[in-house]
Amino acid sequence: MTLPAHARTVIIGGGVIGCSIAYHLAREGRRDIVVLERSKLTSGTTWHAAGLVRRLRPSATLTRLINYSIDLYGELERETGQATGWTQTGSLTLATNPDRLTNIKRQVSLGRAFGLDAEVVDAARAKELWPLIEVDDVIGAVWSPSDGRVNPSDVALALSKGARARGVQIFEETAVTGLQKKAGRISGVEIGDHVIEADEVVIACGLWSREVAAMAGAHMPLYACEHFYMLTKPLPEVQALGMGTHLPTLNDQDAFLYARDDVEGLLVGSFEPHAKGLPLDRLPADFSFDLLDEDWDHFMPMMENALRRIPALERAEVRMLLNGPESFTLDSQFMLGESPEVPGLFLMGGMNSTGIALAGGAGKAMAEWIIAGEPTMELNEADIRRFSPEMNVLGALEARIPEVLGRHYDNPYPGRSMDTARGQRRSPIHAGLVAAGAQFEARGGWERAVHFGSEAAHLPLSFGVPAWREQVGHEVDACRTGAAILDQSAFGKIMVQGPDASGFLNRLCAAQMGVPVGRIAYSQILNERGGVESDLTVQRHGPGAYLLIVGSGEVVRVMQRMRDTRKNHRVEFTDVTSGYAILGLAGAQARTVLQATTNSRVPDLKRFCFAPVEIGLARGWAGRLSFTGEDGFELYIPADMAMTAYEALIAAGATHAGLYASSSLRIESGFRAFGHELTPGTTPFEAGLDAFCAFGTGFVGEDVLKGHQPQRRIVSILFDSPDAIPIHDEPIYFNGRVVGQIASAAWSYRFERSVALGIVSAALDRLEAQTVVDGFEVEIACTRYAAKASLKPAKECFA
C-alpha cells in the first residue's frame, strides 16, 4: 500500500489501544482512517502484557469500561475469526489484614451497583480455589467468577482485523517524524519527506506518546517504569489441573503480587514498592518486541513474598524474568481526550498496567469523543484536561512515577497522598500554614492544607474513624462561631475582557451574566447535552471585565471550553491563577476580625457582592460568600501582598481550617462540587440548580434543557447509625434494589454521624412531596446502613 496524501483520521500507534480506537471509529461509521505503526503491530507494551482482566475496580468509570472490554473480547472472535484468548477463569483477591479486607469488600459493593457477581470467602474456600497457596495469614478473600484473561497480542490483532474489514488502512514499519499545525490546529503527520494531511490525529503510541505529543507542542505527562514478572517451567501441581483447566488469577496485594498459571507453569508478577523509573534515552531507537535486562537483585524481595505464598515455587525451574517497560501517570489513572493546547489532536496513554483490561472500553470512549467532539460518558478521572502544562515537568515525572507503580496496590484510604514531587505549586501563604501545623495533600500539583495539628492527628490512615476527626471538629466549630481562614488560593482565576465579554459569557455560562458591576454570579458551564462541564463564580469588575473563579483542577478544561465558544466574540481571556491568593474567612466573627485588620471601614456587603478592602498593609477585594455555607467572606489579594494580609488576620484573632472541615460543611449545606455531584453527564435539573439557568440567553445546552424532566436527582443523605462511614461511589438501595450512588461524604459534626450527597433514580415523587424520605440504604463494604434522603440541604431538613 502507498501512504495516502490525506486522511480524515490518523492514529499513531499500532498497539492494543491504537487498534481499539481505529476499530471503534470504523464501527461507528467513520471512514478514511489510517493507522501508523513505527515497527510491527503489538511490538510495544502490548506484546509482553500479562493479559489479566478484572471486572471489579475502585471506581464506577473504570468498572464500566472494563466490563465493556470483557464483553467485546468475547465477541471479537465470532466477528473476525481471530481468537483473543479470552478465558473466564475468575479471580481471587486475598486479604491478610482488616483494612485490605475492607477495601476488597468495598469493591464488591461497588460491583453490585453494576450487577457484578462477587463473593466474600474465607481462607479455606480460598485454598480450594487456589490449591497451591498458603493461607495461614489470610483472613478473607473475594472470589470474582466472571473475571478472566486474554492474549494481548491476539486482542490487538482481532481489533486490527475488524478495523481493516471496515476500510481502515494500517501501515507498519512507518515511523512518524513530525506533526504539522495550521492556525494552531493539527493539520498533518510527517513520515520522513511524506506528509499525510489530516483532519484529526490520535496519539496512542505507549511509552513514546509524550515525545510524539511534544512534536505538536502538546503536553502528555506520562513516564515509563520497568515492570517485572517471572515465568516458570511446567510444575506438576499445575499440570495436575488437566488440559484446559486454569487457576483463577491470584491477587495478593498485601505482598505486592499477582499470579496465574501459564503453559503448565506459573506467571508471578509484582508491583514492588521501590520501582525503577526508565528514561527513554536508555532504549534504542529500534526497540521493538524487546525486553529490558533481568534484574534478580531487584526482584528478589518479591520472589521471597511469592515463595511464602506459593511454596511450590521452591521446586520450580525459572524460565525467565520478564522485564518490560510500561508507562504511568502522576495520579495512577490513564489519560484520554483532545489536547487542550492543540485542537484536533487526541491523546490516549499512561494506562498504568491496565491497558489490556481497559483497551476495549477506553477505545470506544475515545472514538465517541472524536466523533461527538466531547465525551459521551463519565470520564472525569481519565480526562487529560485534569493535567495542566505545569504538571508535564520531567523532573516531577521522574520522581513521582516510580512511586505510582510502587503504590499500585496501596489501600485507597481517605487522606492518602503521594510523597514524591511535592511542593510544585504552593499558595502565597504556604509558609504561614506550615508554621501553623498544616497537614497537606498534593492535589493537582498544589499543596492543599487538609487540616491542622501534628502528624499524629493525621496517621494512621483508616477506612474507619480517622485520626483527624476531633481536630477537624474544632476547625468546623471555628468556621461556624469564629473566624477561620481557609486557603483557597489553588482555585483557578480567569480574567475575561473585551467589548463582547457579557455576550460571550452569556453563551458560555448558564446563568445571567448581565449583572451590575460589583456583583458575583454563580453559574455552570454546560455542554451541548446539557451536562455540567464546570461550575464557577463570576465577578463583574467593569462593563467589559469579569473574573471567573473555578475549581483548582478546572482551569484547563474551562479555558478550552472558552476557546471553543469564542468564535467571533471580541473578547480575550487570561489565566491569572498565580497572580492572586484567595483566603476564605468563615464564621460568625469573620466581619469583626476583618475590621480589626484595618482603619478603613469594611463595606457592608450583601451576599454575592464584592468591594475593595484593606487588610493590614494589603489591598484587595472582599466577596460576601463562603463555600462552607456559613457566614463569611472570600478575600482576593494580589499574591505578593497575601502574606501580609494573612499575618494581619492571624493577629486580629483568625484561626485556621482545612479542606476536611470545609468539605464537611459543604456537604451539610448541600453545595454541589464539580467532579463529585456535578459531571458532564449531570444536568442542572438533576442537580437542583435549574434556578440558576437563564433561559433565553442562548447558553450552550439551553435547547436540550427546555422542558427537561429529570429521571434522577441529587439528594442529601443522613445515616441512621454513626457506624456508617462512606467515602464515595457506594451503591444506594431503595426497596431492595440499587437506585444510585454516593457522590461525596463526610462526617457531620452537627449530627454526629455521616452525611452525604448522592444521586438517585427512585422515590422522586416522594422526595418532591416530602421534606425527608426514609427507607434508603447504602452498602459500605458489604454491610447495608439505613439512611434518609431529602432534596434540601442536610442542615435545613434533618433534625
Side-chain angles (χ1 to χ4, degrees):
M1 284 192 300
T2 302
L3 286 170
H6 178 271
R8 174 82 180 268
T9 308
V10 174
I11 299 169
I12 306 172
V16 69
I17 300 299
C19 291
S20 180
I21 296 169
Y23 170 83
H24 284 95
L25 279 171
R27 199 175 73 171
E28 291 296 318
R30 179 63 64 94
R31 297 291 179 263
D32 198 13
I33 301 167
V34 170
V35 176
L36 304 177
E37 165 54 45
R38 69 183 188 93
S39 179
K40 298 291 186 182
L41 294 182
T42 80
S43 61
T45 304
T46 298
W47 82 269
H48 61 73
L52 309 181
V53 183
R54 291 193 301 118
R55 290 182 184 266
L56 287 177
R57 293 290 171 166
S59 76
T61 293
L62 294 180
T63 301
R64 287 190 183 99
L65 295 179
I66 289 174
N67 276 297
Y68 172 82
S69 293
I70 292 174
D71 293 341
L72 174 68
Y73 299 161
E75 296 168 2
L76 274 174
E77 183 172 354
R78 292 189 294 274
E79 177 191 334
T80 67
Q82 167 67 52
T84 63
W86 165 249
T87 306
Q88 185 172 321
T89 62
S91 71
L92 182 69
T93 303
L94 307 180
T96 61
N97 60 71
D99 282 352
R100 178 68 63 188
L101 186 57
T102 295
N103 182 41
I104 61 179
K105 283 182 175 180
R106 286 181 54 81
Q107 292 185 33
V108 170
S109 291
L110 173 63
R112 288 174 181 164
F114 301 96
L116 297 184
D117 179 25
E119 178 186 358
V120 180
V121 300
D122 61 15
R125 176 62 175 148
K127 178 77 170 177
E128 290 178 8
L129 291 163
W130 235 90
L132 281 67
I133 60 173
E134 175 60 59
V135 295
D136 286 354
D137 59 342
V138 173
I139 64 171
V142 168
W143 162 236
S144 304
S146 59
D147 292 347
R149 66 204 214 191
V150 293
N151 183 321
S153 293
D154 286 345
V155 169
L157 293 175
L159 289 164
S160 68
K161 189 172 182 179
R164 280 190 169 113
R166 291 174 170 85
V168 174
Q169 297 183 76
I170 299 177
F171 296 88
E172 298 178 292
E173 304 292 350
T174 307
V176 171
T177 56
L179 297 175
Q180 295 185 352
K181 297 188 290 186
K182 289 181 181 178
R185 182 180 176 86
I186 201 73
S187 62
V189 177
E190 299 174 3
I191 305 99
D193 294 333
H194 185 83
V195 176
I196 303 177
E197 294 183 353
D199 297 340
E200 61 225 359
V201 174
V202 184
I203 294 176
C205 41
L207 311 175
W208 296 272
S209 293
R210 180 175 183 267
E211 285 65 29
V212 175
M215 294 177 179
H219 296 280
M220 198 171 179
L222 53 80
Y223 193 78
C225 275
E226 301 181 31
H227 183 53
F228 298 85
Y229 63 78
M230 177 189 70
L231 296 167
T232 78
K233 292 183 178 180
L235 274 167
E237 292 88 345
V238 178
Q239 290 174 318
L241 296 172
M243 291 293 293
T245 302
H246 296 282
L247 291 167
T249 298
L250 180 69
N251 301 287
D252 186 1
Q253 296 169 345
D254 294 322
F256 317 107
L257 299 173
Y258 61 87
R260 66 170 172 86
D261 61 278
D262 183 84
V263 195
E264 298 187 330
L266 290 176
L267 178 157
V268 180
S270 68
F271 290 93
E272 69 278 15
H274 304 290
K276 297 174 65 176
L278 178 66
L280 288 190
D281 58 15
R282 280 183 46 198
L283 299 180
D286 60 351
F287 192 84
S288 172
F289 292 112
D290 287 323
L291 295 171
L292 304 167
D293 293 338
E294 293 186 350
D295 188 343
W296 280 102
D297 288 340
H298 181 78
F299 188 72
M300 191 52 65
M302 301 301 103
M303 186 66 185
E304 292 171 356
N305 288 349
L307 288 168
R308 284 194 294 270
R309 181 61 63 211
I310 310 172
L313 285 172
E314 295 180 3
R315 301 182 298 278
E317 189 176 349
V318 174
R319 183 152 53 98
M320 69 180 301
L321 178 61
L322 186 145
N323 179 5
E326 293 193 30
S327 56
F328 294 78
T329 62
L330 290 162
D331 60 0
S332 76
Q333 296 288 1
F334 76 102
M335 64 178 78
L336 85 167
E338 186 175 17
S339 165
E341 296 88 18
V342 185
L345 180 65
F346 291 83
L347 313 171
M348 185 166 163
M351 305 309 292
N352 301 276
S353 282
T354 58
I356 303 305
L358 283 167
K364 179 177 187 289
M366 175 67 106
E368 291 180 354
W369 189 333
I370 292 168
I371 292 169
E374 59 187 21
T376 59
M377 61 184 76
E378 300 288 358
L379 294 169
N380 279 357
E381 65 195 83
D383 195 320
I384 195 166
R385 291 172 293 183
R386 71 191 188 276
F387 294 125
S388 64
E390 294 81 8
M391 300 175 78
N392 191 30
V393 174
L394 188 58
L397 295 171
E398 289 176 338
R400 170 65 61 79
I401 298 306
E403 184 186 9
V404 170
L405 184 152
R407 298 180 66 173
H408 186 79
Y409 280 155
D410 271 12
N411 278 322
Y413 296 112
R416 185 182 71 156
S417 193
M418 294 290 184
D419 296 327
T420 53
R422 295 295 297 268
Q424 183 184 35
R425 303 191 76 177
R426 309 179 202 185
S427 159
I429 66 166
H430 180 80
L433 302 179
V434 171
Q439 298 296 315
F440 295 94
E441 287 180 16
R443 300 190 182 188
W446 285 90
E447 293 295 314
R448 304 294 305 273
V450 293
H451 67 81
F452 292 77
S454 67
E455 189 173 60
H458 191 71
L459 299 174
L461 300 179
S462 170
F463 291 117
V465 177
W468 59 78
R469 179 176 285 181
E470 182 178 354
Q471 169 60 33
V472 172
H474 297 313
E475 296 173 24
V476 165
D477 185 62
C479 290
R480 287 181 176 143
T481 64
I485 296 173
L486 298 127
D487 183 21
Q488 299 168 188
S489 301
F491 283 6
K493 305 113 190 165
I494 303 171
M495 186 67 74
V496 179
Q497 296 172 297
D500 294 340
S502 182
F504 165 72
L505 289 174
N506 267 331
R507 176 63 178 159
L508 178 76
C509 300
Q512 173 58 253
M513 295 291 108
V515 297
V517 173
R519 287 281 297 174
I520 301 171
Y522 169 75
S523 183
Q524 302 92 45
I525 294 173
L526 306 180
N527 54 42
E528 295 287 356
R529 295 175 289 119
V532 179
E533 289 290 330
S534 180
D535 74 326
L536 66 163
T537 58
V538 182
Q539 306 172 5
R540 189 166 195 180
H541 285 256
Y546 292 80
L547 182 68
L548 280 55
I549 309 296
V550 305
S552 59
E554 297 171 46
V555 174
V556 172
R557 66 184 302 121
V558 170
M559 291 285 284
Q560 183 189 37
R561 184 66 56 170
M562 295 170 82
R563 286 192 293 270
D564 293 344
T565 306
R566 175 163 50 186
K567 305 212 182 293
N568 295 322
H569 288 103
R570 296 168 298 166
V571 65
E572 297 294 334
F573 34 88
T574 308
D575 177 5
V576 296
T577 300
S578 298
Y580 296 92
I582 301 178
L583 305 185
L585 189 64
Q589 299 301 312
R591 182 182 178 84
T592 300
V593 167
L594 185 58
Q595 184 62 71
T597 67
T598 177
N599 292 328
S600 299
R601 182 176 178 275
V602 173
D604 186 14
L605 293 169
K606 294 181 180 179
R607 283 186 59 78
F608 283 89
C609 292
F610 68 93
V613 67
E614 295 177 4
I615 311 166
L617 301 178
R619 182 174 177 83
W621 66 99
R624 182 76 187 284
L625 72 165
S626 172
F627 197 47
T628 64
E630 304 298 321
D631 196 15
F633 301 89
E634 285 185 355
L635 307 174
Y636 312 91
I637 308 155
D640 52 1
M641 291 191 284
M643 197 64 190
T644 190
Y646 166 79
E647 291 166 344
L649 291 167
I650 294 297
T655 57
H656 297 88
L659 286 178
Y660 293 166
S662 65
S663 178
S664 173
L665 292 165
R666 168 186 82 80
I667 294 170
E668 279 187 0
S669 299
F671 291 171
R672 285 71 166 120
F674 182 75
H676 298 276
E677 295 75 37
L678 304 179
T679 72
T682 309
T683 71
F685 284 82
E686 292 171 333
L689 299 175
D690 47 294
F692 293 95
C693 293
F695 287 96
T697 57
F699 62 84
V700 174
E702 178 179 350
D703 292 342
V704 175
L705 292 179
K706 289 178 179 177
H708 177 53
Q709 295 295 322
Q711 300 302 304
R712 55 182 192 159
R713 294 294 302 272
I714 291 174
V715 294
S716 297
I717 293 173
L718 182 68
F719 289 82
D720 291 355
S721 169
D723 295 331
I725 304 178
I727 302 172
H728 55 73
D729 283 338
E730 293 86 357
I732 302 169
Y733 288 77
F734 191 77
N735 288 338
R737 65 183 184 90
V738 177
V739 298
Q741 286 181 276
I742 298 293
S744 300
W747 185 256
S748 168
Y749 296 86
R750 183 188 302 268
F751 300 111
E752 290 299 316
R753 63 198 62 200
S754 290
V755 66
L757 293 170
I759 189 158
V760 299
S761 59
L764 300 189
D765 292 344
R766 289 181 60 186
L767 286 164
E768 290 283 0
Q770 301 170 218
T771 301
V772 176
V773 176
D774 291 308
F776 287 91
E777 293 180 300
V778 177
E779 185 172 309
I780 306 169
C782 298
T783 299
R784 293 192 194 177
Y785 295 89
K788 51 180 69 73
S790 177
L791 294 176
K792 295 181 177 297
K795 69 180 185 181
E796 294 180 13
C797 63
F798 298 131

